[in-house]
Amino acid sequence: MEETLGSIRPHRITIQDRKTAGITGVSDCVSFDENEVVLDTDMGLLTIRGKELHVNRLTLEKGEVDLDGTVESFAYSSNEALRRSGESLFARLFK
């Protein structure tokens, strides 16, 4: 029998010189543009704000995201509203 704690992936943020960041434990990319990236992680919604942000790699199967640009802030919030909506990014894009 599989434990529920085993289904949660490790969540880690690695940032170098406020220019590049690697994030693990990502379930979905909610939205992104050059000033803000919003990720659904196992620890809640993660909003990354900055300038000239660019998502270099997004691998949802592994739960990993790499981005570059000038990072100004990281902020967590509850992801319950997003989970209740039940729609993925692609479902919202192709309405």
Side-chain angles (χ1 to χ4, degrees):
M1 182 179 253
E2 191 173 311
E3 293 182 31
T4 56
L5 291 177
S7 66
I8 296 177
R9 295 174 282 203
H11 179 59
R12 178 179 297 143
I13 299 174
T14 306
I15 189 167
Q16 183 173 355
D17 299 329
R18 292 181 62 185
K19 299 287 182 198
T20 60
I23 304 155
T24 64
V26 177
S27 303
D28 194 11
C29 181
V30 178
S31 68
F32 64 92
D33 61 31
E34 66 180 14
N35 297 314
E36 182 179 82
V37 178
V38 180
L39 303 172
D40 183 14
T41 72
D42 296 333
M43 298 291 127
L45 282 180
L46 174 61
T47 302
I48 305 159
R49 290 190 176 90
K51 296 178 184 164
E52 299 177 12
L53 296 175
H54 177 65
V55 176
N56 289 326
R57 183 177 62 99
L58 172 63
T59 309
L60 293 178
E61 293 81 22
K62 293 182 179 180
E64 299 173 349
V65 174
D66 290 336
L67 59 92
D68 64 2
T70 304
V71 176
E72 294 178 348
S73 70
F74 287 90
Y76 285 93
S77 60
S78 171
N79 58 3
E80 290 304 315
L82 176 68
R83 290 184 194 270
R84 279 194 299 266
S85 73
E87 291 183 319
S88 69
L89 172 65
F90 292 112
R92 292 189 304 268
L93 284 175
F94 294 110
K95 278 190 174 179

